[in-house]
Amino acid sequence: MYNETVMEHFTNPRNVGEIEDADGVGEVGSPQCGDIMKIFLRIEDNIIKDIKFKTFGCASAIASSSIMTEMVKGKTIEEALSLTNRDVVDALGGLPAPKVHCSVLAEEAIRAAIEDYRKKSEGTRNSG
Ligand code: FES
């Protein structure tokens, strides 16, 4: 059912874990299946310096999170925001049609984490 790239990222996922005192945290759930993806960001000078994820979900969701963290690490916030679930599916070399929704979690989770970062940094500016 899954191609080699998907299997490789599922069995050997990159950037798994948490970042303590992360600059941004995003958590999203899939309405289709209830799976959950959580992303932690370390951001310096508008660049994603570090990213970790925790995904309680299927193989596609784990592979999507893994490859997405590799795609946005070292990128600017704007570049990360332009990432779509299509880019994730393409990078994985394709997902079976019923599993495409799993890649949507990756797009939504990175956006939610960046939104959280922006909210937090605005708060710092206002109070400082
Ligand atoms: Fe739900 Fe894959 S089946 S994220």
Side-chain angles (χ1 to χ4, degrees):
M1 175 170 176
Y2 293 123
N3 70 39
E4 262 175 43
T5 311
V6 176
M7 283 312 292
E8 212 280 305
H9 275 272
F10 169 55
T11 50
N12 181 26
R14 329 293 200 265
N15 304 308
V16 175
E18 283 185 38
I19 296 175
E20 243 179 77
D21 301 321
D23 298 312
V25 179
E27 183 176 321
V28 294
S30 169
Q32 277 98 331
C33 63
D35 289 352
I36 290 171
M37 189 182 294
K38 197 166 180 181
I39 300 289
F40 302 82
L41 295 176
R42 171 79 59 231
I43 294 176
E44 278 167 37
D45 299 331
N46 205 45
I47 303 278
I48 297 177
K49 290 282 182 187
D50 200 9
I51 176 165
K52 298 263 191 235
F53 80 89
K54 276 190 161 176
T55 294
F56 303 94
C58 70
S60 305
I62 289 167
S64 296
S65 342
S66 170
I67 207 155
M68 180 275 280
T69 61
E70 288 201 317
M71 291 166 86
V72 302
K73 202 170 184 176
K75 297 277 163 57
T76 65
I77 288 178
E78 291 72 25
E79 284 168 331
L81 280 175
S82 72
L83 184 98
T84 67
N85 83 296
R86 223 340 101 192
D87 299 328
V88 172
V89 173
D90 287 347
L92 286 171
L95 281 175
K99 288 290 177 180
V100 169
H101 79 266
C102 318
S103 66
V104 173
L105 280 183
E107 174 187 325
E108 289 179 345
I110 181 68
R111 290 189 181 180
I114 289 172
E115 207 171 290
D116 182 55
Y117 162 73
R118 285 185 163 165
K119 264 189 218 143
K120 280 181 181 154
S121 49
E122 248 166 52
T124 320
R125 267 205 299 278
N126 291 343
S127 65

